[in-house]
Amino acid sequence: MAEVPAATRAPGRILWLASYPKSGNTWLRMFLANLRSGRDAPVSINALGSTPMAAGRDFFEDATGLDSSELTVEETLQLRRMTYAWQSDHAATMIPCKIHDALLTGDHLTIEPAATAGAIYVVRNPLDVLPSFADHMGLPLDAMIERMADETFGIGGRGRPQLRQHLGSWSGHVRSWIDATAFPVLTVRYEDMSADPQATFARVVSFAGVPASAEQIRQAIEFSSFAEARRQERTDGFIERLPDVERFFRRGRVGAWREDLTAAQAARVVAHHRETMARLGYLDAQGEPL
């Protein structure tokens, strides 16, 4: 991988589709895929690989020419920013790229700002993230509560399909992205995607600079609905589902945490993330979860 001198680089081509896991990233990718397809039928959920993942080994190895399995976590982390610069420099058009990493790993940016056109950050109430993420990881709820509060928490790595990704705590992850100043960031709440999809996805389209009419946005929303995703997973499976997990698309319903968590478990989540939850409108004036 030959590095391109900064003075000759084109403007950043990568649009990061960022989120903590199980927060709506797949929904966002489905919407954009259906919007861009222009077809009169939903895009297959198993065709979302056309949107690369920042921690994908193929994405990394295509750019570096290296076997990532032979590298340490520290070596891949050092090379990843160069990888994104290379991908951006060789792209003819904007690249939407999925990322679950926190923006900061220690004191270092995970991505390359010069390769970045902007980021759409999807955030979801951690009370709803918790049971979905626990189910996805095959962990008890109480263990997942602690991981979501752990600043050292990460996923992927050696022997896994994806490179190691530093998540950190839910609060730290959210703040790292929504407070970024090196590039434009659009923060989108999962709850707003659900309550007012037409207006919310119109904001996404405007930010991404994708030409689309109100009708095209409406159809893309219909084709990327949770019901459609569940239908496709039942019929065709989903390649992003972990082998030991029964289903990827679990519920998708806002507020379903009230049926999954005990009062004590919910209180522990709020205690860990009170400030960030209040900032994003997930707590009422008395500090109780909405």
Side-chain angles (χ1 to χ4, degrees):
M1 176 176 66
E3 187 169 5
V4 178
T8 66
R9 285 181 178 159
R13 299 284 196 183
I14 298 178
L15 175 66
W16 300 105
L17 309 180
S19 72
Y20 200 80
K22 307 307 290 184
S23 296
N25 201 304
T26 303
W27 187 4
L28 175 62
R29 290 157 57 217
M30 286 176 61
F31 168 78
L32 290 173
N34 279 289
L35 186 70
R36 297 169 75 187
S37 78
R39 295 168 47 195
D40 291 329
V43 170
S44 168
I45 58 174
N46 291 312
L48 299 180
S50 58
T51 300
M53 181 167 186
R57 292 189 183 275
D58 290 346
F59 193 58
F60 178 87
E61 292 175 354
D62 286 348
T64 62
L66 300 173
D67 183 347
S68 59
S69 66
E70 297 179 356
L71 303 175
T72 65
V73 171
E74 292 74 20
E75 288 170 334
T76 57
L77 182 60
Q78 290 173 7
L79 287 167
R80 280 176 67 179
R81 283 184 58 174
M82 291 176 61
T83 297
Y84 306 140
W86 185 91
Q87 294 283 3
S88 175
D89 291 336
H90 289 79
T93 59
M94 185 178 65
I95 309 171
C97 186
K98 172 185 174 181
I99 185 167
H100 281 320
D101 302 77
L103 184 57
L104 292 172
T105 302
D107 295 327
H108 303 286
L109 284 173
T110 307
I111 66 166
E112 174 52 60
T116 299
I120 301 172
Y121 186 77
V122 184
V123 62
R124 186 182 187 188
N125 189 331
L127 292 167
D128 276 329
V129 171
L130 169 62
S132 183
F133 200 12
D135 185 67
H136 180 70
M137 297 289 288
L139 290 172
L141 290 169
D142 290 320
M144 199 73 242
I145 290 172
E146 295 310 310
R147 281 168 172 75
M148 288 179 62
D150 182 355
E151 296 297 346
T152 68
F153 178 42
I155 57 175
R158 192 176 294 275
R160 302 291 180 87
Q162 299 167 3
L163 301 173
R164 181 68 174 173
Q165 299 151 74
H166 171 71
L167 301 182
S169 72
W170 177 84
S171 289
H173 192 287
V174 170
R175 291 194 303 268
S176 76
W177 280 99
I178 68 176
D179 291 336
T181 58
F183 47 82
V185 179
L186 175 68
T187 301
V188 178
R189 297 196 328 160
Y190 181 97
E191 293 75 19
D192 297 328
M193 293 164 69
S194 178
D196 192 354
Q198 189 72 29
T200 304
F201 282 109
R203 289 174 55 219
V204 167
V205 168
S206 176
F207 182 85
V210 178
S213 67
E215 175 56 25
Q216 288 172 318
I217 293 171
R218 186 206 62 76
Q219 180 173 271
I221 291 169
E222 178 185 337
F223 286 170
S224 58
S225 70
F226 191 81
E228 173 61 25
R230 285 290 300 272
R231 183 194 68 77
Q232 288 195 36
E233 183 177 23
R234 286 194 302 269
T235 303
D236 305 318
F238 187 32
I239 58 176
E240 296 184 23
R241 183 180 64 203
L242 296 178
D244 297 331
V245 176
E246 181 181 352
R247 62 201 181 285
F248 184 91
F249 299 100
R250 185 171 173 271
R251 286 191 187 178
R253 182 160 49 85
V254 173
W257 64 268
R258 297 180 185 279
E259 301 164 18
D260 296 319
L261 309 183
T262 65
Q265 288 170 330
R268 286 169 59 198
V269 173
V270 173
H272 285 311
H273 306 292
R274 183 179 301 279
E275 182 180 345
T276 307
M277 290 180 71
R279 178 180 175 184
L280 290 162
Y282 294 135
L283 301 178
D284 64 19
Q286 288 71 47
E288 296 298 320
L290 294 170

